[in-house]
Amino acid sequence: MKRLLVLGAGTAGTVVVNKLRPRLDPAEWHITVVDQDACHHYQAGYLFIPFGIYRRRDVERPRRDFIPAGVEMILGQIEEIDPERQRVALAGGRHLDYDYLVIATGTRPVPAQTPGYDGDAVGDSIHQFYTADGAVALYERLKSWEGGRMVVNIMEFPFKCPVAPLEFTFLADWWFREHGRRDKVELVFATPMSEVFTKPVAASHLTGVLEAKEIRVETDLYVERIDADAGALVAYDGRELPYDLLVTVPVNMGAEVVARAGLGDELNHVPVDKGTFLSTRYPNIFALGDAAALPTSKAGSVAHFSVEVFADNFPRYVEGLEMLERFDGHANCFIESGFGKGLLIDFNYDTEPLPGKYPLPGIGPFSLLQETVTNHWGKMMFRWVYWNLLLRGREIPLPAEMSMYGKER
Amino acid sequence: MPIATIAGREVSLNDEGFMTDPAQWTEEIATFLAGQIGIDPLTDEHWKVIRFLRSDYTEQGETATLRRVSTLAGVDTKALYTLFPGKPARKMAYVAGLPKPKGCV
Ligand SMILES: Cc1cc2nc3c(=O)[nH]c(=O)nc-3n(C[C@H](O)[C@H](O)[C@H](O)COP(=O)(O)OP(=O)(O)OC[C@H]3O[C@@H](n4cnc5c(N)ncnc54)[C@H](O)[C@@H]3O)c2cc1C
């Protein structure tokens, strides 16, 4: 029996076992997947929790429900990866040997990377919505917050879902207006980049949206520490940005176990070939989803598209055949912009987000880089698509490879 | 694409003045470019950073971010802001003859 071991049953790990089980002969292949958390989280839904649109129960489901028959699922914490002995150790002393390893342990917020991000201020004047607990605490805070300056900031790049902090800011603007409090709130969006988004065409569209919503932008703000007593972000260049309520995106890092195994880069993300996800160091290790160091967005859509490519390649690879498919970096993200509207961006390694229609040229129904009601509904329907189609590896009528049809240069 | 003669060599630059061909870079060019942005002289600490950026670029094909430099080159971020004041990520890349870091997506 050959053993395929998948670390992490998040978006990437779950889709990969669903796609590979039917393609690998059960008489020859044993597939195991490990995760530390009995709940699967629809993380994109965290965005809506602070505004009372979703509750915790809307974004959590039992993880086992999404693991197909014929795949062994183990609940436990992964403590060690030993690539030389091809063995993984779990907390409690259990060992798992493998022939092929897929690392899909994602990336997670690590507040402790920022000095001053601790103490009583956390959950009071300092918040984040990158975990279910954080999003719920922020919901409670917003209910009674009387106003002042809300700063939404990004600590470090890359982080998962690069549009989420912008969406949060747009939704905050909408929510305060709905609640008749917008005149009491000053909204500031602060980023370590020189633009509000990394790609120029999208950046200029999004800057326009921010201006229209009277959201102040602070660029090149690379935060050294939080001065919680003074209520200010202190940047490396000496600038200070005072806040009354800070909503931050903490530094995102891959799993600690990746670092311990010497498999990670400076943020514990695994260097891989960007077309095939094969580790640059071991011929029997792949990294998929947010865990991989790829020059495209860390997003569920990328995890999904990349697994499609991987699932086509893997059965060939183990037979000693060439991997024919190469991932192009395809990402697409709905950007919720408030007032029941949203934008959509679609891009890859080489092509930045451009205006146009998606997925059908000229027809849509979705519009790229434009605020529309249909885009908003696409985003809201996505939760259903995620639980019912995407995670289970069912066909979604969106091709893995990006297309230029329908886009306008 | 503009071409300039720097320290006796022809180098191609983009609109922002960044070198577009890392292979054209020399240490003399680095000294000149540093002078252009008010960094004079280049100290040993500067060179440590510049040499790391050059060798990392050769291996990775991408310009290192501030975090990567501070983690792997042993020069912390605060020091990078002192060595290359204001916008260190851009300035380091400029002097090292590399594209400015993409900062990812
Ligand atoms: C607020 C927010 C909004 C987002 N919005 C969107 C969006 O609109 N669109 C979009 O495409 N994406 C969005 N994303 C990103 C998306 O959720 C992630 O990119 C996606 O989940 C990545 O999948 P993954 O499998 O790589 O990682 P994950 O889904 O995070 O899975 C990693 C798994 O590994 C497990 N694990 C890690 N370490 C260990 C260990 N040591 N032992 C055992 N198990 C371990 C974890 O428990 C987890 O289940 C958003 C994310 C956030 C936080």
Side-chain angles (χ1 to χ4, degrees), chain A residues 8 10-13 35-37 43-44 46 63 76-78 104-106 129-130 160-161 164 255 257 288-290 298-301 303 379:
Chain A
T11 312
D35 204 291
Q36 63 200 1
D37 182 346
Q43 299 173 43
Y46 295 167
R63 211 175 278 281
Q77 175 143 20
I78 304 149
T105 40
F129 61 95
Y130 264 58
K160 55 184 156 185
C161 200
V257 59
L288 291 171
D290 293 349
K298 292 199 179 297
S301 59
K379 175 117 190 168

PDB file of all heavy atoms in Angstrom, chain A residues 8 10-13 35-37 43-44 46 63 76-78 104-106 129-130 160-161 164 255 257 288-290 298-301 303 379, ligand 1:
ATOM      1  N   GLY A   8      -3.609  19.011   7.379  1.00  0.00           N
ATOM      2  CA  GLY A   8      -4.550  20.128   7.343  1.00  0.00           C
ATOM      3  C   GLY A   8      -5.754  19.770   6.496  1.00  0.00           C
ATOM      4  O   GLY A   8      -5.611  19.338   5.350  1.00  0.00           O
ATOM      5  N   GLY A  10      -8.326  22.002   5.843  1.00  0.00           N
ATOM      6  CA  GLY A  10      -9.017  23.256   5.558  1.00  0.00           C
ATOM      7  C   GLY A  10      -9.513  23.221   4.127  1.00  0.00           C
ATOM      8  O   GLY A  10      -9.825  22.145   3.603  1.00  0.00           O
ATOM      9  N   THR A  11      -9.568  24.378   3.466  1.00  0.00           N
ATOM     10  CA  THR A  11     -10.089  24.403   2.096  1.00  0.00           C
ATOM     11  C   THR A  11      -9.259  23.489   1.194  1.00  0.00           C
ATOM     12  O   THR A  11      -9.802  22.596   0.537  1.00  0.00           O
ATOM     13  CB  THR A  11     -10.045  25.839   1.537  1.00  0.00           C
ATOM     14  OG1 THR A  11     -10.613  26.726   2.509  1.00  0.00           O
ATOM     15  CG2 THR A  11     -10.814  25.944   0.245  1.00  0.00           C
ATOM     16  N   ALA A  12      -7.951  23.673   1.180  1.00  0.00           N
ATOM     17  CA  ALA A  12      -7.108  22.930   0.246  1.00  0.00           C
ATOM     18  C   ALA A  12      -7.073  21.440   0.601  1.00  0.00           C
ATOM     19  O   ALA A  12      -7.274  20.583  -0.267  1.00  0.00           O
ATOM     20  CB  ALA A  12      -5.690  23.507   0.245  1.00  0.00           C
ATOM     21  N   GLY A  13      -6.839  21.115   1.870  1.00  0.00           N
ATOM     22  CA  GLY A  13      -6.731  19.716   2.273  1.00  0.00           C
ATOM     23  C   GLY A  13      -8.015  18.942   2.014  1.00  0.00           C
ATOM     24  O   GLY A  13      -7.988  17.789   1.572  1.00  0.00           O
ATOM     25  N   ASP A  35      -6.194  16.990  11.008  1.00  0.00           N
ATOM     26  CA  ASP A  35      -6.435  18.378  11.395  1.00  0.00           C
ATOM     27  C   ASP A  35      -6.631  18.449  12.905  1.00  0.00           C
ATOM     28  O   ASP A  35      -7.084  17.486  13.522  1.00  0.00           O
ATOM     29  CB  ASP A  35      -7.653  18.971  10.676  1.00  0.00           C
ATOM     30  CG  ASP A  35      -7.588  20.492  10.592  1.00  0.00           C
ATOM     31  OD1 ASP A  35      -7.719  21.174  11.642  1.00  0.00           O
ATOM     32  OD2 ASP A  35      -7.393  21.022   9.483  1.00  0.00           O
ATOM     33  N   GLN A  36      -6.296  19.610  13.466  1.00  0.00           N
ATOM     34  CA  GLN A  36      -6.361  19.749  14.920  1.00  0.00           C
ATOM     35  C   GLN A  36      -7.732  20.203  15.408  1.00  0.00           C
ATOM     36  O   GLN A  36      -8.004  20.198  16.603  1.00  0.00           O
ATOM     37  CB  GLN A  36      -5.319  20.789  15.366  1.00  0.00           C
ATOM     38  CG  GLN A  36      -5.590  22.173  14.799  1.00  0.00           C
ATOM     39  CD  GLN A  36      -4.361  23.070  14.804  1.00  0.00           C
ATOM     40  OE1 GLN A  36      -3.291  22.665  15.222  1.00  0.00           O
ATOM     41  NE2 GLN A  36      -4.527  24.298  14.331  1.00  0.00           N
ATOM     42  N   ASP A  37      -8.579  20.613  14.473  1.00  0.00           N
ATOM     43  CA  ASP A  37      -9.804  21.303  14.850  1.00  0.00           C
ATOM     44  C   ASP A  37     -11.008  20.526  14.290  1.00  0.00           C
ATOM     45  O   ASP A  37     -11.076  20.280  13.084  1.00  0.00           O
ATOM     46  CB  ASP A  37      -9.716  22.718  14.243  1.00  0.00           C
ATOM     47  CG  ASP A  37     -10.896  23.595  14.592  1.00  0.00           C
ATOM     48  OD1 ASP A  37     -11.913  23.072  15.081  1.00  0.00           O
ATOM     49  OD2 ASP A  37     -10.805  24.807  14.347  1.00  0.00           O
ATOM     50  N   GLN A  43     -13.959  30.685   6.439  1.00  0.00           N
ATOM     51  CA  GLN A  43     -13.303  31.900   6.942  1.00  0.00           C
ATOM     52  C   GLN A  43     -13.790  33.179   6.249  1.00  0.00           C
ATOM     53  O   GLN A  43     -13.807  34.248   6.846  1.00  0.00           O
ATOM     54  CB  GLN A  43     -11.782  31.782   6.797  1.00  0.00           C
ATOM     55  CG  GLN A  43     -11.203  30.615   7.587  1.00  0.00           C
ATOM     56  CD  GLN A  43      -9.719  30.412   7.301  1.00  0.00           C
ATOM     57  OE1 GLN A  43      -8.941  31.354   7.226  1.00  0.00           O
ATOM     58  NE2 GLN A  43      -9.316  29.160   7.140  1.00  0.00           N
ATOM     59  N   ALA A  44     -14.187  33.049   4.973  1.00  0.00           N
ATOM     60  CA  ALA A  44     -14.667  34.235   4.257  1.00  0.00           C
ATOM     61  C   ALA A  44     -15.883  34.831   4.985  1.00  0.00           C
ATOM     62  O   ALA A  44     -16.152  36.033   4.875  1.00  0.00           O
ATOM     63  CB  ALA A  44     -15.005  33.883   2.811  1.00  0.00           C
ATOM     64  N   TYR A  46     -16.172  35.220   8.171  1.00  0.00           N
ATOM     65  CA  TYR A  46     -15.782  36.026   9.348  1.00  0.00           C
ATOM     66  C   TYR A  46     -16.039  37.505   9.103  1.00  0.00           C
ATOM     67  O   TYR A  46     -16.369  38.248  10.021  1.00  0.00           O
ATOM     68  CB  TYR A  46     -14.288  35.866   9.680  1.00  0.00           C
ATOM     69  CG  TYR A  46     -13.825  34.506  10.127  1.00  0.00           C
ATOM     70  CD1 TYR A  46     -12.466  34.213  10.180  1.00  0.00           C
ATOM     71  CD2 TYR A  46     -14.723  33.520  10.521  1.00  0.00           C
ATOM     72  CE1 TYR A  46     -12.004  32.971  10.597  1.00  0.00           C
ATOM     73  CE2 TYR A  46     -14.262  32.271  10.932  1.00  0.00           C
ATOM     74  CZ  TYR A  46     -12.903  32.007  10.967  1.00  0.00           C
ATOM     75  OH  TYR A  46     -12.445  30.783  11.374  1.00  0.00           O
ATOM     76  N   ARG A  63     -16.013  19.033  10.595  1.00  0.00           N
ATOM     77  CA  ARG A  63     -15.045  18.793   9.534  1.00  0.00           C
ATOM     78  C   ARG A  63     -15.257  17.448   8.841  1.00  0.00           C
ATOM     79  O   ARG A  63     -15.111  17.318   7.636  1.00  0.00           O
ATOM     80  CB  ARG A  63     -13.629  18.857  10.125  1.00  0.00           C
ATOM     81  CG  ARG A  63     -12.586  19.343   9.167  1.00  0.00           C
ATOM     82  CD  ARG A  63     -11.248  19.490   9.848  1.00  0.00           C
ATOM     83  NE  ARG A  63     -11.081  20.729  10.598  1.00  0.00           N
ATOM     84  CZ  ARG A  63     -10.801  21.906  10.046  1.00  0.00           C
ATOM     85  NH1 ARG A  63     -10.666  22.010   8.750  1.00  0.00           N
ATOM     86  NH2 ARG A  63     -10.655  22.978  10.792  1.00  0.00           N
ATOM     87  N   GLY A  76      -6.045  15.720  15.455  1.00  0.00           N
ATOM     88  CA  GLY A  76      -4.884  15.807  16.331  1.00  0.00           C
ATOM     89  C   GLY A  76      -3.952  16.898  15.863  1.00  0.00           C
ATOM     90  O   GLY A  76      -4.039  17.377  14.722  1.00  0.00           O
ATOM     91  N   GLN A  77      -3.071  17.283  16.761  1.00  0.00           N
ATOM     92  CA  GLN A  77      -2.132  18.346  16.442  1.00  0.00           C
ATOM     93  C   GLN A  77      -0.855  17.756  15.837  1.00  0.00           C
ATOM     94  O   GLN A  77      -0.260  16.833  16.409  1.00  0.00           O
ATOM     95  CB  GLN A  77      -1.793  19.099  17.715  1.00  0.00           C
ATOM     96  CG  GLN A  77      -0.731  20.136  17.472  1.00  0.00           C
ATOM     97  CD  GLN A  77      -0.976  21.378  18.285  1.00  0.00           C
ATOM     98  OE1 GLN A  77      -1.699  21.347  19.265  1.00  0.00           O
ATOM     99  NE2 GLN A  77      -0.380  22.468  17.865  1.00  0.00           N
ATOM    100  N   ILE A  78      -0.455  18.304  14.708  1.00  0.00           N
ATOM    101  CA  ILE A  78       0.777  17.852  14.070  1.00  0.00           C
ATOM    102  C   ILE A  78       1.944  18.544  14.758  1.00  0.00           C
ATOM    103  O   ILE A  78       1.989  19.776  14.828  1.00  0.00           O
ATOM    104  CB  ILE A  78       0.768  18.216  12.572  1.00  0.00           C
ATOM    105  CG1 ILE A  78      -0.475  17.624  11.901  1.00  0.00           C
ATOM    106  CG2 ILE A  78       2.042  17.752  11.886  1.00  0.00           C
ATOM    107  CD1 ILE A  78      -0.992  18.441  10.752  1.00  0.00           C
ATOM    108  N   ALA A 104      -0.899  21.268   3.844  1.00  0.00           N
ATOM    109  CA  ALA A 104      -2.006  22.203   3.596  1.00  0.00           C
ATOM    110  C   ALA A 104      -2.441  22.805   4.931  1.00  0.00           C
ATOM    111  O   ALA A 104      -3.621  22.840   5.264  1.00  0.00           O
ATOM    112  CB  ALA A 104      -3.160  21.477   2.903  1.00  0.00           C
ATOM    113  N   THR A 105      -1.437  23.237   5.705  1.00  0.00           N
ATOM    114  CA  THR A 105      -1.716  23.743   7.048  1.00  0.00           C
ATOM    115  C   THR A 105      -2.021  25.242   7.067  1.00  0.00           C
ATOM    116  O   THR A 105      -2.143  25.827   8.141  1.00  0.00           O
ATOM    117  CB  THR A 105      -0.546  23.425   8.000  1.00  0.00           C
ATOM    118  OG1 THR A 105       0.678  23.631   7.299  1.00  0.00           O
ATOM    119  CG2 THR A 105      -0.585  21.982   8.475  1.00  0.00           C
ATOM    120  N   GLY A 106      -2.152  25.853   5.891  1.00  0.00           N
ATOM    121  CA  GLY A 106      -2.645  27.223   5.825  1.00  0.00           C
ATOM    122  C   GLY A 106      -1.701  28.259   6.404  1.00  0.00           C
ATOM    123  O   GLY A 106      -0.499  28.038   6.588  1.00  0.00           O
ATOM    124  N   PHE A 129     -10.532  40.454  12.955  1.00  0.00           N
ATOM    125  CA  PHE A 129     -11.644  39.578  12.558  1.00  0.00           C
ATOM    126  C   PHE A 129     -11.125  38.376  11.758  1.00  0.00           C
ATOM    127  O   PHE A 129     -11.841  37.793  10.955  1.00  0.00           O
ATOM    128  CB  PHE A 129     -12.681  40.372  11.759  1.00  0.00           C
ATOM    129  CG  PHE A 129     -12.158  40.964  10.483  1.00  0.00           C
ATOM    130  CD1 PHE A 129     -12.309  40.311   9.273  1.00  0.00           C
ATOM    131  CD2 PHE A 129     -11.491  42.182  10.493  1.00  0.00           C
ATOM    132  CE1 PHE A 129     -11.799  40.842   8.100  1.00  0.00           C
ATOM    133  CE2 PHE A 129     -10.979  42.724   9.326  1.00  0.00           C
ATOM    134  CZ  PHE A 129     -11.132  42.049   8.122  1.00  0.00           C
ATOM    135  N   TYR A 130      -9.866  37.982  11.996  1.00  0.00           N
ATOM    136  CA  TYR A 130      -9.280  36.869  11.248  1.00  0.00           C
ATOM    137  C   TYR A 130      -9.472  35.507  11.918  1.00  0.00           C
ATOM    138  O   TYR A 130      -9.008  34.496  11.423  1.00  0.00           O
ATOM    139  CB  TYR A 130      -7.799  37.157  10.945  1.00  0.00           C
ATOM    140  CG  TYR A 130      -7.660  37.755   9.561  1.00  0.00           C
ATOM    141  CD1 TYR A 130      -8.321  38.934   9.236  1.00  0.00           C
ATOM    142  CD2 TYR A 130      -6.935  37.102   8.569  1.00  0.00           C
ATOM    143  CE1 TYR A 130      -8.250  39.456   7.967  1.00  0.00           C
ATOM    144  CE2 TYR A 130      -6.854  37.623   7.285  1.00  0.00           C
ATOM    145  CZ  TYR A 130      -7.511  38.794   6.993  1.00  0.00           C
ATOM    146  OH  TYR A 130      -7.445  39.295   5.723  1.00  0.00           O
ATOM    147  N   LYS A 160      -3.681  36.361   4.227  1.00  0.00           N
ATOM    148  CA  LYS A 160      -4.721  35.721   3.431  1.00  0.00           C
ATOM    149  C   LYS A 160      -5.850  36.690   3.124  1.00  0.00           C
ATOM    150  O   LYS A 160      -6.162  37.572   3.909  1.00  0.00           O
ATOM    151  CB  LYS A 160      -5.240  34.457   4.083  1.00  0.00           C
ATOM    152  CG  LYS A 160      -5.742  34.579   5.491  1.00  0.00           C
ATOM    153  CD  LYS A 160      -6.115  33.187   6.000  1.00  0.00           C
ATOM    154  CE  LYS A 160      -6.075  33.084   7.495  1.00  0.00           C
ATOM    155  NZ  LYS A 160      -6.334  31.706   7.946  1.00  0.00           N
ATOM    156  N   CYS A 161      -6.427  36.479   1.963  1.00  0.00           N
ATOM    157  CA  CYS A 161      -7.505  37.321   1.449  1.00  0.00           C
ATOM    158  C   CYS A 161      -7.132  38.800   1.478  1.00  0.00           C
ATOM    159  O   CYS A 161      -7.621  39.561   2.332  1.00  0.00           O
ATOM    160  CB  CYS A 161      -8.814  37.106   2.184  1.00  0.00           C
ATOM    161  SG  CYS A 161     -10.182  37.701   1.189  1.00  0.00           S
ATOM    162  N   ALA A 164      -9.767  41.493   2.136  1.00  0.00           N
ATOM    163  CA  ALA A 164     -10.645  41.482   3.314  1.00  0.00           C
ATOM    164  C   ALA A 164     -10.599  42.774   4.135  1.00  0.00           C
ATOM    165  O   ALA A 164     -11.642  43.282   4.535  1.00  0.00           O
ATOM    166  CB  ALA A 164     -10.360  40.259   4.186  1.00  0.00           C
ATOM    167  N   ALA A 255       2.221  27.445   9.605  1.00  0.00           N
ATOM    168  CA  ALA A 255       2.267  26.660  10.843  1.00  0.00           C
ATOM    169  C   ALA A 255       3.687  26.567  11.393  1.00  0.00           C
ATOM    170  O   ALA A 255       4.656  26.454  10.647  1.00  0.00           O
ATOM    171  CB  ALA A 255       1.707  25.265  10.589  1.00  0.00           C
ATOM    172  N   VAL A 257       4.998  24.110  12.854  1.00  0.00           N
ATOM    173  CA  VAL A 257       5.593  22.810  12.557  1.00  0.00           C
ATOM    174  C   VAL A 257       6.366  22.842  11.227  1.00  0.00           C
ATOM    175  O   VAL A 257       7.365  22.156  11.045  1.00  0.00           O
ATOM    176  CB  VAL A 257       4.495  21.710  12.590  1.00  0.00           C
ATOM    177  CG1 VAL A 257       3.391  21.977  11.587  1.00  0.00           C
ATOM    178  CG2 VAL A 257       5.083  20.349  12.371  1.00  0.00           C
ATOM    179  N   LEU A 288       0.091  23.043  -0.686  1.00  0.00           N
ATOM    180  CA  LEU A 288      -1.064  23.604  -1.392  1.00  0.00           C
ATOM    181  C   LEU A 288      -1.769  24.647  -0.530  1.00  0.00           C
ATOM    182  O   LEU A 288      -1.735  24.585   0.699  1.00  0.00           O
ATOM    183  CB  LEU A 288      -2.067  22.497  -1.713  1.00  0.00           C
ATOM    184  CG  LEU A 288      -1.647  21.462  -2.769  1.00  0.00           C
ATOM    185  CD1 LEU A 288      -2.661  20.322  -2.790  1.00  0.00           C
ATOM    186  CD2 LEU A 288      -1.564  22.117  -4.141  1.00  0.00           C
ATOM    187  N   GLY A 289      -2.449  25.567  -1.192  1.00  0.00           N
ATOM    188  CA  GLY A 289      -3.231  26.575  -0.473  1.00  0.00           C
ATOM    189  C   GLY A 289      -2.331  27.610   0.180  1.00  0.00           C
ATOM    190  O   GLY A 289      -1.200  27.849  -0.258  1.00  0.00           O
ATOM    191  N   ASP A 290      -2.811  28.191   1.266  1.00  0.00           N
ATOM    192  CA  ASP A 290      -2.097  29.290   1.929  1.00  0.00           C
ATOM    193  C   ASP A 290      -0.730  28.872   2.464  1.00  0.00           C
ATOM    194  O   ASP A 290       0.141  29.717   2.677  1.00  0.00           O
ATOM    195  CB  ASP A 290      -2.917  29.826   3.110  1.00  0.00           C
ATOM    196  CG  ASP A 290      -4.196  30.511   2.675  1.00  0.00           C
ATOM    197  OD1 ASP A 290      -4.350  30.754   1.468  1.00  0.00           O
ATOM    198  OD2 ASP A 290      -5.032  30.810   3.553  1.00  0.00           O
ATOM    199  N   LYS A 298      -3.210  34.704  -1.305  1.00  0.00           N
ATOM    200  CA  LYS A 298      -3.572  33.608  -0.430  1.00  0.00           C
ATOM    201  C   LYS A 298      -5.082  33.690  -0.285  1.00  0.00           C
ATOM    202  O   LYS A 298      -5.598  34.573   0.396  1.00  0.00           O
ATOM    203  CB  LYS A 298      -2.891  33.759   0.926  1.00  0.00           C
ATOM    204  CG  LYS A 298      -1.390  33.586   0.817  1.00  0.00           C
ATOM    205  CD  LYS A 298      -0.768  33.269   2.150  1.00  0.00           C
ATOM    206  CE  LYS A 298       0.725  33.072   2.010  1.00  0.00           C
ATOM    207  NZ  LYS A 298       1.114  31.932   1.153  1.00  0.00           N
ATOM    208  N   ALA A 299      -5.807  32.801  -0.976  1.00  0.00           N
ATOM    209  CA  ALA A 299      -7.262  32.891  -0.987  1.00  0.00           C
ATOM    210  C   ALA A 299      -7.860  31.526  -1.244  1.00  0.00           C
ATOM    211  O   ALA A 299      -7.219  30.657  -1.837  1.00  0.00           O
ATOM    212  CB  ALA A 299      -7.727  33.868  -2.073  1.00  0.00           C
ATOM    213  N   GLY A 300      -9.111  31.359  -0.811  1.00  0.00           N
ATOM    214  CA  GLY A 300      -9.813  30.106  -1.028  1.00  0.00           C
ATOM    215  C   GLY A 300      -9.914  29.785  -2.513  1.00  0.00           C
ATOM    216  O   GLY A 300      -9.801  28.622  -2.918  1.00  0.00           O
ATOM    217  N   SER A 301     -10.113  30.831  -3.339  1.00  0.00           N
ATOM    218  CA  SER A 301     -10.239  30.576  -4.777  1.00  0.00           C
ATOM    219  C   SER A 301      -8.938  30.008  -5.331  1.00  0.00           C
ATOM    220  O   SER A 301      -8.949  29.098  -6.165  1.00  0.00           O
ATOM    221  CB  SER A 301     -10.646  31.851  -5.525  1.00  0.00           C
ATOM    222  OG  SER A 301      -9.698  32.879  -5.326  1.00  0.00           O
ATOM    223  N   ALA A 303      -6.705  28.304  -3.569  1.00  0.00           N
ATOM    224  CA  ALA A 303      -6.599  26.942  -3.045  1.00  0.00           C
ATOM    225  C   ALA A 303      -7.394  26.004  -3.954  1.00  0.00           C
ATOM    226  O   ALA A 303      -6.911  24.948  -4.384  1.00  0.00           O
ATOM    227  CB  ALA A 303      -7.128  26.879  -1.612  1.00  0.00           C
ATOM    228  N   LYS A 379     -21.255  36.954  -3.922  1.00  0.00           N
ATOM    229  CA  LYS A 379     -20.515  36.765  -2.671  1.00  0.00           C
ATOM    230  C   LYS A 379     -21.383  36.055  -1.630  1.00  0.00           C
ATOM    231  O   LYS A 379     -20.917  35.168  -0.918  1.00  0.00           O
ATOM    232  CB  LYS A 379     -20.063  38.134  -2.141  1.00  0.00           C
ATOM    233  CG  LYS A 379     -19.393  38.058  -0.784  1.00  0.00           C
ATOM    234  CD  LYS A 379     -17.964  38.509  -0.844  1.00  0.00           C
ATOM    235  CE  LYS A 379     -17.234  38.216   0.441  1.00  0.00           C
ATOM    236  NZ  LYS A 379     -15.796  38.391   0.315  1.00  0.00           N
TER     237      LYS A 379
HETATM  238  C1  LIG C   1     -11.529  37.160   7.218  1.00  0.00           C
HETATM  239  C2  LIG C   1     -11.216  36.308   6.037  1.00  0.00           C
HETATM  240  C3  LIG C   1     -11.908  36.501   4.844  1.00  0.00           C
HETATM  241  C4  LIG C   1     -11.630  35.732   3.726  1.00  0.00           C
HETATM  242  N1  LIG C   1     -12.350  35.945   2.575  1.00  0.00           N
HETATM  243  C5  LIG C   1     -12.089  35.204   1.479  1.00  0.00           C
HETATM  244  C6  LIG C   1     -12.834  35.401   0.279  1.00  0.00           C
HETATM  245  O1  LIG C   1     -13.757  36.223   0.208  1.00  0.00           O
HETATM  246  N2  LIG C   1     -12.508  34.675  -0.816  1.00  0.00           N
HETATM  247  C7  LIG C   1     -11.498  33.741  -0.783  1.00  0.00           C
HETATM  248  O2  LIG C   1     -11.236  33.102  -1.806  1.00  0.00           O
HETATM  249  N3  LIG C   1     -10.786  33.519   0.348  1.00  0.00           N
HETATM  250  C8  LIG C   1     -11.060  34.228   1.474  1.00  0.00           C
HETATM  251  N4  LIG C   1     -10.335  34.000   2.632  1.00  0.00           N
HETATM  252  C9  LIG C   1      -9.155  33.108   2.590  1.00  0.00           C
HETATM  253  C10 LIG C   1      -9.483  31.639   2.686  1.00  0.00           C
HETATM  254  O3  LIG C   1     -10.251  31.371   3.812  1.00  0.00           O
HETATM  255  C11 LIG C   1      -8.167  30.879   2.762  1.00  0.00           C
HETATM  256  O4  LIG C   1      -7.313  31.304   1.736  1.00  0.00           O
HETATM  257  C12 LIG C   1      -8.390  29.380   2.597  1.00  0.00           C
HETATM  258  O5  LIG C   1      -9.133  28.892   3.671  1.00  0.00           O
HETATM  259  C13 LIG C   1      -7.038  28.660   2.473  1.00  0.00           C
HETATM  260  O6  LIG C   1      -7.196  27.284   2.572  1.00  0.00           O
HETATM  261  P1  LIG C   1      -6.062  26.375   3.184  1.00  0.00           P
HETATM  262  O7  LIG C   1      -6.580  24.995   3.107  1.00  0.00           O
HETATM  263  O8  LIG C   1      -4.776  26.692   2.556  1.00  0.00           O
HETATM  264  O9  LIG C   1      -5.942  26.839   4.714  1.00  0.00           O
HETATM  265  P2  LIG C   1      -7.046  26.700   5.865  1.00  0.00           P
HETATM  266  O10 LIG C   1      -8.401  26.598   5.275  1.00  0.00           O
HETATM  267  O11 LIG C   1      -6.781  27.788   6.831  1.00  0.00           O
HETATM  268  O12 LIG C   1      -6.722  25.280   6.531  1.00  0.00           O
HETATM  269  C14 LIG C   1      -5.563  24.985   7.260  1.00  0.00           C
HETATM  270  C15 LIG C   1      -5.905  23.862   8.217  1.00  0.00           C
HETATM  271  O13 LIG C   1      -4.707  23.340   8.799  1.00  0.00           O
HETATM  272  C16 LIG C   1      -4.955  23.033  10.142  1.00  0.00           C
HETATM  273  N5  LIG C   1      -3.677  23.059  10.860  1.00  0.00           N
HETATM  274  C17 LIG C   1      -2.730  24.032  10.849  1.00  0.00           C
HETATM  275  N6  LIG C   1      -1.689  23.713  11.638  1.00  0.00           N
HETATM  276  C18 LIG C   1      -1.971  22.491  12.169  1.00  0.00           C
HETATM  277  C19 LIG C   1      -1.279  21.619  13.062  1.00  0.00           C
HETATM  278  N7  LIG C   1      -0.069  21.924  13.571  1.00  0.00           N
HETATM  279  N8  LIG C   1      -1.869  20.456  13.397  1.00  0.00           N
HETATM  280  C20 LIG C   1      -3.085  20.109  12.885  1.00  0.00           C
HETATM  281  N9  LIG C   1      -3.783  20.888  12.033  1.00  0.00           N
HETATM  282  C21 LIG C   1      -3.235  22.073  11.673  1.00  0.00           C
HETATM  283  C22 LIG C   1      -5.929  24.113  10.611  1.00  0.00           C
HETATM  284  O14 LIG C   1      -6.685  23.672  11.729  1.00  0.00           O
HETATM  285  C23 LIG C   1      -6.777  24.338   9.366  1.00  0.00           C
HETATM  286  O15 LIG C   1      -7.959  23.571   9.386  1.00  0.00           O
HETATM  287  C24 LIG C   1     -10.622  34.745   3.797  1.00  0.00           C
HETATM  288  C25 LIG C   1      -9.928  34.517   4.985  1.00  0.00           C
HETATM  289  C26 LIG C   1     -10.223  35.283   6.117  1.00  0.00           C
HETATM  290  C27 LIG C   1      -9.480  35.030   7.397  1.00  0.00           C
END
